[in-house]
Amino acid sequence: GFPGTPGIMGMKGEKGEGAFIHRSAFSVGLTGRVPHPNVPILFSKVFYNEQQHYDVSTGKFRCSVPGMYYFAYHLTVYLSDAKISLYKQDRAVLFTYDQFQPNNVDQASGSVLLHLNAGEEVWLQVYGEGANNGVYADNINDSTFMGFLLYPDLDVH
Amino acid sequence: GFPGTPGIMGMKGEKGEGAFIHRSAFSVGLTGRVPHPNVPILFSKVFYNEQQHYDVSTGKFRCSVPGMYYFAYHLTVYLSDAKISLYKQDRAVLFTYDQFQPNNVDQASGSVLLHLNAGEEVWLQVYGEGANNGVYADNINDSTFMGFLLYPDLDVH
Amino acid sequence: GFPGTPGIMGMKGEKGEGAFIHRSAFSVGLTGRVPHPNVPILFSKVFYNEQQHYDVSTGKFRCSVPGMYYFAYHLTVYLSDAKISLYKQDRAVLFTYDQFQPNNVDQASGSVLLHLNAGEEVWLQVYGEGANNGVYADNINDSTFMGFLLYPDLDVH
Ligand SMILES: [Ca+2]
Ligand SMILES: [Ca+2]
Ligand SMILES: [Ca+2]
């Protein structure tokens, strides 16, 4: 007899991965002068923290989605010099220093791209012996910290 | 008879949703000293405004794609103190203050992540009575403002 | 005889393209004071350069994926005034000027969104005659430069 009819067409491939399945972002601000050196700075004014990956009780961002992140901060320098580091897992990765002079409030900022594995934490902290804790904020002066996932690791899709 | 030949391969899957279907971004600069307090600052030097969501005639960014946006500004502080707020719909959300001293031009910056609904507007404005309008620019000194869509709302896909 | 049974189903189609095929980002820092004006600043401390689109031997980022990019820098101003420009293909696109006064280390920053074609280069350089090269860094004071692809051109997908 004749051969059978050809098989039916294979299934359509899966849809490609979307950009926006993996989201992680926070944007927070300080509500007063940095009170304690040598511990993570607590930013408790929340602009955005939908995924709750920033912990307002510890001041730390904790990575849930492995990938490459952007972090930035903008600090009001008032009353004393400010020396701030961005920490990743107890290591100071980035250092920002700005000296204060009377009647000359300043602004200091920093940003960086870092790859994070799941569970790794990032925060800001006064660097050194605590003399340089001139980071200030009140209800009409901000000092802020933010981060967002830019490129999730390809192998976690 | 013999079985038929196998069916042809299925079609390739659809492209993932991108990231890149929903786009909204602007990057603009000032061309002179801020002339008027208490109104949106007009940034008329355009670095990027492909989707035209920033209106060079009003100084306002208007949200077309609901989602989470990044905004940033970098200001040259010269001739007087500068106090600038980022406004979202007539509410001052973020405050940046930098004092000026003679022979000490300074730089001040801020950034924030904000969720916007369609139609909501964001702009920069001198905060308060107008004494703090020391934001300056000329053809070799920039003061800039930018924003971009980072995560569009999932329900609009 | 009867025709054979139908052929087997064709293979499943390929998965669609993901959003994150196109990646390009770098984040680098200075290791000492800017030594030479009028040439690209060499940032040789690497925070992130996975795609190697930033060349640590020239100080230039070279576009491999056409699209819209974000660039930012944060500079420690110490010992003298600083005037820095972000260059795109030999044209100074963005200018940041900050004056230094003794005992008043400052911070200056800038950011911009730019469309780049493949092969176009972006870097930072002291602007002018070289008097304004007060950009400083050491092992606990950073001056940094970064960039990332935000929206690849749609026609390259
Ligand atoms: Ca100042
Ligand atoms: Ca200064
Ligand atoms: Ca200072």
Side-chain angles (χ1 to χ4, degrees), chain A residues 77 98-101 103-107, chain B residues 77 81-82 97-101 104-108, chain C residues 98 104 106:
Chain A
V77 180
D98 196 313
Q99 288 178 311
F100 174 71
Q101 290 290 316
N103 302 314
N104 197 352
V105 168
D106 277 343
Q107 291 289 325
Chain B
V77 180
D81 298 346
Y97 178 54
D98 196 313
Q99 287 178 309
F100 174 71
Q101 291 290 315
N104 198 352
V105 168
D106 276 343
Q107 292 289 325
Chain C
D98 196 313
N104 197 351
D106 276 345

Side-chain angles (χ1 to χ4, degrees), chain C residues 2-76:
Chain C
F2 296 100
T5 55
I8 60 172
M9 182 187 284
M11 288 184 295
K12 186 176 176 180
E14 288 174 65
K15 190 171 188 175
E17 275 164 33
F20 295 116
I21 295 169
H22 301 291
R23 295 171 175 218
S24 180
F26 70 98
S27 180
V28 292
L30 207 59
T31 54
R33 194 180 175 189
V34 168
H36 305 294
N38 303 318
V39 293
I41 298 174
L42 277 177
F43 294 87
S44 51
K45 179 181 177 179
V46 175
F47 297 104
Y48 185 91
N49 193 25
E50 194 171 305
Q51 300 82 24
Q52 303 285 327
H53 296 167
Y54 174 82
D55 186 336
V56 291
S57 69
T58 65
K60 295 181 176 183
F61 170 77
R62 188 168 187 278
C63 173
S64 292
V65 185
M68 190 270 273
Y69 287 76
Y70 171 87
F71 294 98
Y73 48 90
H74 300 264
L75 309 171
T76 298

